[in-house]
Amino acid sequence: MRLDVFTLIPDAFEWIQRRRPLAAVLGDELELRVLNYRDTTPLSAGQVDDEPYGGGPGMVLRVDVVAAALDATYGGSPSHRVVALSPQGRQLDQELVEELARESALTLLSARFEGFDQRILDHLCSDLVSIGPYVLSGGEIPALVLVDAIARRLPGALTEGSGEVESFSAALDGGLEYPHYTRPASYRGWDVPEILLSGDHGRIETWRRDRVRTVT
Ligand SMILES: C[S@@+](CC[C@H](N)C(=O)[O-])C[C@H]1O[C@@H](n2cnc3c(N)ncnc32)[C@H](O)[C@@H]1O
């Protein structure tokens, strides 16, 4: 997958590229580019936003700035999906992550302050995605959430099989995963369930299945 993220804070995306699962797929299953609107803005002094028409607080990311960034990168509107991160978008869930992870190319647009000029959302994007019903200060954290969630679904990102049986996965019928325990078997009188120490894989499997919880 080719994944492009447009942002005003490119260094927000540095640490994640040095860590698994992203580090495991970068340059192989995933080509990640982090692009700064300021590098291609047609305005002077790196300007990217402006005051809202009609008045009010905050600054709004300009449509000509985002169009210029897309033009400079793709030579026009890209044919693949362009996702704007916005609290007003479709709420992210595992189903949408799986859907986006199947794309061969994807662009993420983030904004700050008051957000996007509406014409960006109407004419330059294919999707609006929210990471939850709350407002963050910028689209960088939402973009990081998407980058991580997508990267771990790409081949080679995780140890074989470890991404298949997880909360929200088809393997658990979309439910929440069963509990995990590790050593020590007993700590402060808090004991690991006996069955997990039994070595009886059939009973362990049944015990785990019984503890998968339905998402309400
Ligand atoms: C302060 S927010 C703008 C909020 C906007 N004025 C509103 O009331 O809907 C600035 C930017 O952060 C990002 N953002 C904030 N919360 C988000 C969320 N829950 N999901 C996705 N992006 C979010 C978006 O890119 C947004 O344009």
Side-chain angles (χ1 to χ4, degrees), residues 85-88 109-116 129-132 134-139 142:
L85 281 322
S86 165
Q88 298 162 28
L109 301 181
S110 57
R112 294 193 73 76
F113 314 116
E114 271 313 306
F116 298 96
V129 171
S130 164
I131 63 159
Y134 43 80
V135 177
L136 299 168
S137 307

Side-chain angles (χ1 to χ4, degrees), residues 35 41 76 89 141 143 145 170 186:
L35 303 140
T41 179
I141 292 172
V145 167
S186 183

